[in-house]
Amino acid sequence: MTQPLTIEGLVGDRKRRRRERRVKSLFVLAGLVSIAISVAIVVSLAGEAWSFLSQVELSELFTVGWFPRRGLFDIPTLLIATTIIAGIGMIVAIPLGLGTASYLAEYATPRARRWLKPTIEVLAGIPSVVLGFWALTFISPEVVSRIFTSAKPFTMMAAGLGVGVLITPLVATVSEDAMRSVPRELREASYGLGADRATTVRRVVFPAALSGIVASMILALSRAIGETMIVFMAAGAVGGALRTWDPLDPGQTMTAAIASLATGSDQVAGEGLAFQSLFFVGLLLFLITLALNSVSNRFVRKYREQY
Amino acid sequence: MAMGLKNRSEATTEDVAKAIRRSKVHWQSTLFSVVLLLLLLTTLVILFVLLADIIVKAYPTFQERGLSFVTSGLSLNPETAGVFTGIVGSLVIALIVVLLAFPIGMSTAIYLEEYAAASRFNRFLDTTVRNLAGVPSIVYGLLGLAMFVPLVRMMGLGGSTDGKNVIAAGITMSALVLPIVIITSSEAIRAVPNSIREAGFGVGATKWEVIRSHVMPVALPGILTGTVLTLARAIGETAPLLVIGVATGYFAPPGDATILDQLTGAYTALPVVVFSWTRQTQGEFAETLAPAAIVVLLGVLFILNGAAIWLRNRTEKKW
C-alpha cells in the first residue's frame, strides 16, 4: 500500500502530538520542583532571620559569646570557630589530598590505581557521624592529648583534624580528575625537552590543572564550613561558647550552633528568639557556602573548556 | 639544569651522553616522588586505623550479643539495647526517597538532557541544581523544620509527634538528595551516544518515544548505579534529622499501634543511634555499643555500594 508523502503525514496524528506536549510539561514540572526547593530554602531562612534581626539590637550580635538561650548572640564567636576548624581541616586535607591525587594521576601504575582509587572513595563514603565518633574517641585522646598535654577532651583541634580526614578524599578525587584531564601531549612535550617526571608534574601538569585543583580546594572549604556532626560531637561547647582563637579550647561553629539549639533539652519551640537566631545563622551559612560553590563551579567550567 | 653542563663550550659528546643516561641521581625528583607516596600512604593509613579502631571497639558487643544486637530495639539497658529501631527508621526514610526523589530527579535529568535547548530557563535550572547540591545538609534540616514538618501536619499526618515524624524526615532527605540524583542521572543520559537517538528519530518516533524506548534502556544502568549511591548518602546523613526532631533518647514504640501510628510517631535512624549513644553518659553505650552501631551502619552502606558496583559491572556497555 503506497500513500503519497504529505506534510500532514509527517507531522503525525493529533493524539500523538498531544501526548508529547503532556509528557514534556510533566518533565518541566519535575524541574520546577528543584527551583521550588531553592525558593523555599531562601524564604524559610530569610523570613525567620528577618524577624530575628528586627528584634535584636545590632550591638547584641557583637557581645562576648554565643549563648542564645541567655540572649547572647555573638556572631563573631561562631565565625571564628568556623574559621579555626575549617582552617585546620584544610591544613590537613590540602597536602594529603594533593599528594594522593598527584601520585594517583602521575605515578601509580594502572594496576595500583585500580584498587587505590576505590579505597580513597571508601573514605569519601564514610558518614560524618562516624568521623565525629572517631574524632571524639580516637583523635582527641590518642592524637591531640598526646601532643598537647594540656588539651581538654573536647577541642576544636580534634574536630578540625576530623574534618580534615572528611574532606581529604574530596580534594584528592577532584584534583585527580583535573590532572588526568591534562592532555598527554603536554607531558610528552615536556619529556621531549628532557624534563623528568617530577619537573613535568610541577611545571607542566600542576599549572595546566590549576583551575581544577583550586576548584577542589574551594569545594572542600565549603564542605568543611558546612560540616555539622564532627564539630557537634568533638568540639564540645554544646550549650554555648565564648569567643576564643585558641584551637585547644572547645568551640561552636555555625553548623554546630544550629544542631545544638535544635537538640537542646528544652526543644526549640515556636516563636522564641533563640529559635529565630537558628535561622539567621542558617542564612549566613547558606550565603557563605553559596558564594564558595559559585566560585568553585566557575573554576571547574574553566578547566573543562580548556581541553 | 641538573645536566652537569657548565657552559656550551665545555660540552663534549661524552658529557651529553652521560646527561641523557642520567648517570647522576636526581635527588630532588626522587624526593618529590617519595613525598607524594608518603602522603598517599598517610591517607591510606588513616583509613585503615579508623576502620580497625572501630572494629576492635565493636568486637566485644558482637561477640557477646551476636545477631541479637541487630534484631533488638532501643533500650535503656545496655545489655539488651540494639539497633533495630534505627534500621527500620533508615529503611522507611530510604523508601520515601526512592518514591519521591528518584522519579522527580530522573524526570528533571531527562528534561535537562533531552529537551534542553540552551534556553535561559534551562541554564537557570542547571545552575539551581548545582547550587542546591552544595547547600550544607543542616540547612536542609532548617528547611524541613520550617516547611515540611508543617506540611506533614497540614496533611493530617502529624500524629503524636505533631509532624516531627519519619514522613517529614523522608521528605527532607528527598529534597537533600534530589540535586545529586539529577546530576548523576544527567551524566548517565549524556553518555548515551547520539546515534541511538537518531536511529529512533529516523524511523519516525517522537521525542518521548525515543526517550522511552531508546535512551532510557541504555541510560538506566548508569542511573541506577548513581541512585543507589544516593541512597547511601540519605542513609548516612544525621544533621538534618537532628534539626527536624528525630528522637535522640529512648522511646518505646507503641505495642499494638497501627502502621499509621508508627509512621507518625517518634522515630530514629541508624546514624542518629550512633550519635545519641556516643553522647550517653553511661559508659557502655559510648564505648562498645556506639562502635557496634557504626559497624552495622557501615555494613549497610557497604552492601549498597556493592550493589551499585555489581549493577554497573553487569549492565555496563561500552560504545
Side-chain angles (χ1 to χ4, degrees):
Chain A
M1 193 173 92
T2 50
Q3 243 176 13
L5 205 56
T6 60
I7 296 292
E8 284 74 40
L10 281 176
V11 166
D13 64 296
R14 277 235 309 276
K15 234 173 85 189
R16 249 169 121 201
R17 268 183 298 163
R18 210 176 316 135
R19 192 186 57 186
E20 282 300 301
R21 275 201 301 273
R22 221 176 302 136
V23 167
K24 186 182 174 179
S25 57
L26 264 182
F27 287 143
V28 175
L29 218 61
L32 286 177
V33 171
S34 295
I35 294 174
I37 290 175
S38 300
V39 173
I41 289 178
V42 174
V43 168
S44 57
L45 292 180
E48 299 282 359
W50 177 250
S51 79
F52 170 74
L53 279 180
S54 59
Q55 283 174 66
V56 295
E57 296 283 323
L58 209 58
S59 62
E60 283 181 77
L61 298 179
F62 302 92
T63 50
V64 289
W66 173 262
F67 294 96
R69 291 188 202 285
R70 280 190 253 152
L72 296 174
F73 303 102
D74 186 41
I75 299 297
T77 301
L78 302 182
L79 291 178
I80 290 169
T82 305
T83 310
I84 291 174
I85 290 178
I88 295 172
M90 293 302 279
I91 291 173
V92 173
I94 287 178
L96 287 184
L98 272 189
T100 304
S102 314
Y103 194 86
L104 277 182
E106 304 297 325
Y107 285 89
T109 59
R111 231 181 78 200
R113 204 178 159 274
R114 210 160 2 180
W115 65 268
L116 282 175
K117 186 122 199 250
T119 313
I120 304 295
E121 278 161 0
V122 167
L123 189 55
I126 292 179
S128 61
V129 70
V130 176
L131 283 165
F133 171 84
W134 198 58
L136 181 64
T137 61
F138 185 88
I139 297 180
S140 175
E142 304 291 336
V143 180
V144 177
S145 296
R146 297 243 165 129
I147 302 174
F148 310 96
T149 40
S150 64
K152 306 166 191 83
F154 294 99
T155 58
M156 290 194 266
M157 179 66 87
L161 293 176
V163 169
V165 174
L166 180 86
I167 58 178
T168 295
L170 186 67
V171 176
T173 48
V174 180
S175 301
E176 202 236 342
D177 276 349
M179 289 162 111
R180 282 174 69 86
S181 72
V182 173
R184 213 180 55 213
E185 289 86 339
L186 286 188
R187 290 189 187 85
E188 282 165 357
S190 168
Y191 293 140
L193 289 171
D196 58 16
R197 196 175 276 198
T199 312
T200 306
V201 172
R202 273 179 312 184
R203 308 284 280 276
V204 176
V205 179
F206 267 172
L210 193 65
S211 56
I213 292 172
V214 172
S216 81
M217 289 180 189
I218 301 173
L219 209 61
L221 180 62
S222 160
R223 267 292 286 284
I225 291 174
E227 168 50 36
T228 308
M229 293 317 293
I230 299 176
V231 184
F232 188 34
M233 291 166 87
V238 171
L242 286 167
R243 201 190 284 189
T244 171
W245 278 100
D246 183 357
L248 294 178
D249 278 336
Q252 213 174 36
T253 59
M254 290 186 277
T255 52
I258 297 172
S260 63
L261 256 179
T263 53
S265 48
D266 51 336
Q267 287 281 321
V268 182
E271 304 296 308
L273 204 53
F275 175 79
Q276 289 170 335
S277 75
L278 207 142
F279 286 86
F280 177 66
V281 176
L283 183 65
L284 270 184
L285 181 66
F286 174 74
L287 292 177
I288 292 174
T289 50
L290 183 68
L292 286 173
N293 289 328
S294 313
V295 175
S296 165
N297 275 338
R298 190 154 303 166
F299 272 108
V300 169
R301 222 171 299 141
K302 206 172 155 195
Y303 92 75
R304 287 245 168 90
E305 276 164 13
Q306 233 159 21
Y307 306 112
Chain B
M1 291 295 287
M3 292 256 198
L5 301 177
K6 285 189 192 75
N7 61 56
R8 206 178 291 176
S9 62
E10 278 179 31
T12 62
T13 325
E14 209 173 302
D15 283 332
V16 174
K18 216 166 123 190
I20 292 174
R21 260 187 274 116
R22 290 237 184 114
S23 52
K24 223 174 183 178
V25 178
H26 289 208
W27 65 271
Q28 295 107 320
S29 299
T30 317
L31 183 70
F32 185 69
S33 63
V34 167
V35 168
L36 290 187
L37 184 61
L38 281 180
L39 289 169
L40 170 74
L41 289 178
T42 311
T43 310
L44 294 180
V45 166
I46 290 174
L47 176 65
F48 175 76
V49 173
L50 165 67
L51 293 178
D53 180 53
I54 284 170
I55 289 171
V56 166
K57 282 174 182 161
Y59 182 69
T61 306
F62 286 106
Q63 196 187 25
E64 274 171 41
R65 304 269 306 276
L67 268 184
S68 79
F69 175 73
V70 179
T71 53
S72 45
L74 291 178
S75 166
L76 289 171
N77 178 4
E79 305 284 311
T80 57
V83 290
F84 189 70
T85 324
I87 294 179
V88 171
S90 286
L91 287 183
V92 175
I93 291 173
L95 184 72
I96 297 176
V97 167
V98 169
L99 292 178
L100 273 183
F102 286 9
I104 297 177
M106 284 183 209
S107 306
T108 308
I110 291 174
Y111 178 72
L112 278 173
E113 294 302 319
E114 298 294 323
Y115 289 89
S119 73
R120 195 172 291 178
F121 175 72
N122 286 317
R123 231 168 314 147
F124 176 63
L125 181 56
D126 193 57
T127 314
T128 307
V129 170
R130 253 160 237 294
N131 285 335
L132 277 181
V135 173
S137 59
I138 194 145
V139 172
Y140 282 99
L142 291 174
L143 170 72
L145 185 64
M147 296 278 174
F148 299 144
V149 170
L151 179 78
V152 168
R153 212 182 294 145
M154 260 165 43
M155 291 192 303
L157 295 170
S160 58
T161 50
D162 210 18
K164 294 185 173 181
N165 53 38
V166 75
I167 301 172
I171 300 175
T172 305
M173 282 300 184
S174 300
L176 188 144
V177 300
L178 180 65
I180 315 171
V181 176
I182 296 173
I183 291 172
T184 52
S185 304
S186 290
E187 271 161 18
I189 294 173
R190 209 174 308 146
V192 177
N194 248 332
S195 50
I196 301 280
R197 293 185 188 90
E198 281 154 7
F201 288 127
V203 294
T206 62
K207 194 149 210 166
W208 166 236
E209 285 159 357
V210 167
I211 293 170
R212 195 188 50 193
S213 59
H214 287 67
V215 178
M216 284 319 269
V218 178
L220 209 56
I223 294 179
L224 281 181
T225 310
T227 45
V228 169
L229 294 178
T230 315
L231 263 192
R233 173 87 196 273
I235 287 177
E237 272 296 344
T238 323
L241 297 181
L242 296 180
V243 178
I244 56 171
V246 69
T248 52
Y250 169 76
F251 67 92
D256 54 348
T258 63
I259 289 182
L260 188 68
D261 283 341
Q262 282 178 7
L263 282 179
T264 58
Y267 72 102
T268 192
L270 207 39
V272 179
V273 172
V274 173
F275 164 75
S276 50
W277 281 353
T278 307
R279 281 215 312 184
Q280 285 273 344
T281 40
Q282 225 174 321
E284 267 176 295
F285 275 108
E287 278 156 25
T288 61
L289 289 187
I294 289 177
V295 169
V296 176
L297 174 62
L298 292 179
V300 171
L301 299 183
F302 186 74
I303 292 171
L304 277 175
N305 278 291
I309 293 169
W310 180 78
L311 260 176
R312 185 171 60 199
N313 289 347
R314 238 183 79 101
T315 50
E316 196 174 44
K317 271 189 196 155
K318 286 260 179 281
W319 298 97

